[in-house]
Amino acid sequence: MQYSKKVLEHFANPRNVGEIENPDGVGEVGNPACGDMMSFHIKVKDNRLDDVKFKTFGCGAAIAVSSMVSEMAKEKTLQEAMKITPSLVADELGGLPKQKFHCSNLGAQALHKAIRDYRSKKKTKRAKK
């Protein structure tokens, strides 16, 4: 299995690792077949992702994908971030081995779930006013 230099770099030096205190949205996903688990925490300011953090338990590809997704999403509008697809993530990483492509699905799903969580909370707050 051959990884690109970018995958190896993001695995060895992942960006944006951790949790955000009082996040605006949280998205968690997992793949029981391979054991990968990802959670994304987001902070939103003026409809943009002001901060993005992740915690990933999984293989090197899963960690690299989480790191790349967090970098791709930061400072994007919510609409732009929702357009981050598994294929875009894999392309940004210089490709992923076929048997590891599912990791890019998880990264995009976790980010999208965090954004949906934020939107849901925002709607609930508005309804209570």
Side-chain angles (χ1 to χ4, degrees):
M1 185 171 359
Q2 188 68 25
Y3 289 114
S4 71
K5 286 182 182 178
K6 216 167 190 181
V7 169
L8 295 173
E9 167 59 25
H10 276 269
F11 168 64
N13 302 295
R15 285 71 154 172
N16 308 306
V17 176
E19 294 180 2
I20 296 173
E21 197 171 315
N22 302 314
D24 293 325
V26 177
E28 296 178 337
V29 297
N31 183 337
C34 68
D36 293 336
M37 300 292 294
M38 295 178 184
S39 69
F40 271 76
H41 294 74
I42 60 171
K43 220 30 157 172
V44 180
K45 185 177 180 184
D46 299 326
N47 201 44
R48 287 192 177 276
L49 291 172
D50 190 47
D51 198 7
V52 179
K53 300 268 189 233
F54 75 90
K55 288 181 89 173
T56 295
F57 175 81
C59 66
I63 292 166
V65 161
S66 299
S67 176
M68 179 54 76
V69 168
S70 70
E71 280 202 328
M72 291 172 73
K74 253 188 175 177
E75 302 303 319
K76 295 266 193 296
T77 66
L78 298 178
Q79 292 78 4
E80 291 168 338
M82 287 299 284
K83 292 178 183 170
I84 294 173
T85 64
S87 294
L88 284 174
V89 176
D91 289 348
E92 280 293 317
L93 285 168
L96 286 169
K98 192 160 57 172
Q99 64 270 36
K100 293 295 180 180
F101 189 79
H102 70 276
C103 295
S104 61
N105 288 327
L106 292 176
Q109 286 171 0
L111 174 67
H112 296 166
K113 254 183 146 172
I115 293 169
R116 285 193 297 274
D117 181 49
Y118 163 74
R119 287 177 170 163
S120 170
K121 288 176 182 174
K122 192 174 169 188
K123 224 180 262 183
T124 302
K125 279 184 186 174
R126 258 196 239 131
K128 287 182 179 179
K129 285 184 180 181

